[in-house]
Amino acid sequence: MNRAASRGRGRCLLWLLIAVLATIPRLHAVLQMPAFGDEIYWLEDGLEALQRWQSRGSAEDIWGPRVLRHPGTPTALAGGLAAATRDANLDRVAENERILLTARLSVVWLGVLGCVVVAMLGARLYGIRAGALAGIILALSPHHIANSAWLQCDASLATFSIASVLALAVHLRNGKLRWLLASAGLAGLAINCKWTGLLTIPLTFGAMVFLRLRASESWPRAVVDGVRPSLYWLGVAVSVLYLTWPRMWFDPSELFKTILWAKDVGASHLTFFQGEITESPAWYYYFVAVPFSLSELESLLLAGAVAGAVIAAFRGRLRMNQTSCLLLVWIFLFLLAMTLSGKKLGARYVLPIWPALALLLAASVRAAYRRLRHLAHMRACTATAALAAGLAACATLAATGGNYPIHANRLLGGLPAMDRSILIVGVADREVARFLDTLPASATVQIAGNLLSTRWHAHHAMKTVGCDLAQGLRSARKVAPISADFVGVFSHFSHRCPEWNHAAMLAAHATEVHRLERDGVVLARVYRAERADGSAPPGALPGT
């Protein structure tokens, strides 16, 4: 009894250490990362949702066309409650920073929870060492850190969806009803975070039916036996979704309307992929974006796992347990769904595959250790490798300087290679805003980038610019249409709108006065424009 209690305390301490390990970089990211445009939308939409709820008796449609339709309920709730604390008598920018920090601190714990859930359920399915290793891999993953620390719904989706999948895996192993019910409830919460949580439904039905088919000689009976508990699962999931999604309280068919709405909203989006401006990136978009977003450690472990699987397959010794197959199907299903989706703006849209990948990598490490543990000095080699891997993971995080979205896999060429392949969004807005605030108040400013996020950090008035390509034109001007004294140009904007690139700005006789650069990649520039009469704008600065 004492031994069991001691083992239980040891596990609790291990989960606590993983939680602390996950919390430290995520809190650092909360403080360091600039505002993203989507965060401001969530703050506004969340506040609108609260206001509409308070005045629900005075409107026939209390929600409007957009509010709570991701559904994004946890994100909107955090954003709305934070935005409602704004004091209009205080400095606008200072209040912006405080509100954003409050909202982020309300959701960052969902990312931490995801790391602990992966460790705990991974330990139940793969053993304590593999589970702990999976939790640590996810805790130190720069992509997961970055997308846990800002106000959006992908991190909560990733946490609840992997928890649902792993609870299903436990049920398939031991047959206990409580795990099936837990999987269903967690799936309902995943869908409430983002509609792509619906992918847990085909995964569950497919897994339940497939296992019955393997164990039965009569496939009609196996299908019935598999579908029946799946329908119970679906009923619980929909019930939880209904209880936690206010839109469904007034219209039970809202789920289907939201799917149609999301299909129209995400049909296409202007982006940059491998040197081309396109609204429909190639099918292999995520097979480029995901490797760039992996850490170097994750990449090496993935390469080792694939190599080991290929070698084992050639030797006829490849064996995969039920849980690993389920996780692989989940990764494939999610990648397939996102590949078929029109909107492709970075690897964060496939964040839910990261926890599953961490578990598979940990499982492959466990399998490799078991095959090699008979070798001499294996324990010393393992300890050395673990120390080196830990140092490498920490070095990767330190290299971002707290701006984790800027991470790019150095094994693939780092930030320069990533900049040539996909968009790098939302990493320079705060720095540009601070520079713009040093300009005289009389100077006019244009922003070729995300006006919302830049203005969030700046006192200076500014206006946005148009993009010909966004309006469907396939030829851009070779001279930038400048109509202000200073212009801030972000690389993610000029990649999609060449009329605002460096050459076009120089052709318009603009002079670069400020540059934000990282690893040889220019993330943003500020230009001083030449006025029509040839005079310099107020507060003209020397070119740099």
Side-chain angles (χ1 to χ4, degrees), residues 4-54:
S6 177
R7 188 184 300 117
R9 286 194 296 270
R11 288 198 173 198
C12 289
L13 180 60
L14 180 58
W15 308 147
L16 179 61
L17 289 175
I18 291 174
V20 171
L21 188 64
T23 299
I24 292 172
R26 283 163 179 78
L27 289 182
H28 186 222
V30 163
L31 297 172
Q32 294 297 316
M33 293 196 307
F36 293 84
D38 281 1
E39 289 186 290
I40 300 168
Y41 285 127
W42 277 115
L43 290 166
E44 293 174 350
D45 288 0
L47 181 60
E48 182 181 348
L50 292 178
Q51 292 172 341
R52 282 175 175 268
W53 176 255
Q54 292 168 354

Side-chain angles (χ1 to χ4, degrees), residues 90-445:
L90 299 179
D91 179 76
R92 178 183 62 84
V93 174
E95 280 293 275
N96 286 349
E97 301 281 1
R98 183 190 61 79
I99 287 169
L100 185 63
L101 178 62
T102 302
R104 285 177 172 180
L105 288 175
S106 301
V107 299
V108 68
W109 307 108
L110 290 170
V112 175
L113 177 63
C115 300
V116 177
V117 164
V118 164
M120 294 178 67
L121 293 182
R124 179 178 287 270
L125 292 162
Y126 288 104
I128 185 68
R129 294 179 182 176
L133 178 59
I136 292 170
I137 290 173
L138 190 62
L140 298 179
S141 172
H143 184 66
H144 193 269
I145 291 170
N147 290 287
S148 299
W150 62 287
L151 188 65
Q152 44 76 40
C153 44
D154 296 287
S156 53
L157 167 66
T159 293
F160 290 121
S161 61
I162 194 60
S164 174
V165 172
L166 294 178
L168 175 64
V170 176
H171 166 75
L172 295 176
R173 175 176 292 188
N174 63 24
K176 292 183 178 179
L177 179 62
R178 66 173 180 266
W179 287 103
L180 182 66
L181 297 178
S183 173
L186 290 163
L189 294 176
I191 300 168
N192 189 33
C193 294
K194 196 171 185 179
W195 69 271
T196 40
L198 288 167
L199 293 172
T200 55
I201 297 176
L203 180 78
T204 300
F205 274 72
M208 300 289 277
V209 170
F210 179 75
L211 287 181
R212 266 65 174 189
L213 286 172
R214 289 185 62 188
S216 175
E217 295 180 357
S218 171
W219 70 264
R221 179 61 181 270
V223 170
V224 171
D225 289 344
V227 169
R228 186 184 297 115
S230 299
L231 291 175
Y232 298 149
W233 179 98
L234 182 62
V236 173
V238 172
S239 298
V240 171
L241 177 62
Y242 178 84
L243 290 172
T244 57
W245 188 14
R247 285 192 82 107
M248 283 191 73
W249 301 348
F250 299 90
D251 184 0
S253 67
E254 181 58 46
L255 178 60
F256 304 102
K257 294 179 180 179
T258 287
I259 293 172
L260 295 175
W261 170 84
K263 180 177 178 294
D264 293 336
V265 170
S268 63
H269 203 289
L270 193 71
T271 189
F272 173 85
F273 182 58
Q274 293 195 322
E276 295 184 357
I277 302 166
T278 177
E279 291 180 345
S280 301
W283 64 269
Y284 53 87
Y285 175 87
Y286 286 112
F287 293 93
V288 174
V290 169
F292 272 118
S293 300
L294 293 174
S295 69
E296 290 77 11
L297 176 61
E298 290 170 315
S299 298
L300 291 174
L301 291 177
L302 179 59
V306 172
V310 170
I311 293 172
F314 272 113
R315 293 179 176 178
R317 300 177 182 175
L318 182 61
R319 301 288 185 272
M320 292 188 63
N321 65 26
Q322 185 175 280
T323 300
S324 295
C325 291
L326 185 68
L327 291 174
L328 278 174
V329 172
W330 171 245
I331 290 174
F332 172 79
L333 184 64
F334 210 94
L335 283 173
L336 177 63
M338 294 299 99
T339 296
L340 296 177
S341 171
K343 189 175 182 180
K344 297 180 178 68
L345 282 175
R348 80 171 174 92
Y349 288 97
V350 293
L351 186 67
I353 75 171
W354 252 257
L357 181 61
L359 268 170
L360 289 173
L361 294 179
S364 70
V365 171
R366 182 193 66 164
Y369 178 77
R370 287 181 172 179
R371 287 193 295 267
L372 300 174
R373 62 184 172 184
H374 65 280
L375 299 178
H377 309 297
M378 189 58 193
R379 285 192 174 183
C381 292
T382 301
T384 303
L387 178 60
L391 292 175
C394 292
T396 294
L397 299 184
T400 66
N403 202 343
Y404 295 98
I406 211 171
H407 164 76
N409 195 336
R410 293 180 184 273
L411 297 178
L412 300 179
L415 201 60
M418 187 176 182
D419 185 57
R420 294 190 295 269
S421 301
I422 61 176
L423 288 178
I424 302 172
V425 181
V427 294
D429 305 72
R430 178 182 284 148
E431 288 82 354
V432 170
R434 286 173 177 170
F435 175 80
L436 294 176
D437 276 348
T438 66
L439 301 176
S442 58
T444 56
V445 175

Side-chain angles (χ1 to χ4, degrees), residues 270-272 277 423 448-449 465-471 476-477 480 489-502 504:
L270 193 71
T271 189
F272 173 85
I277 302 166
L423 288 178
V465 304
C467 176
D468 282 350
L469 290 175
Q471 299 167 8
R477 306 171 185 170
V489 181
F490 294 81
S491 62
H492 65 81
F493 190 91
S494 60
H495 274 350
R496 291 179 286 183
C497 306
E499 63 187 273
W500 293 98
N501 65 23
H502 189 54

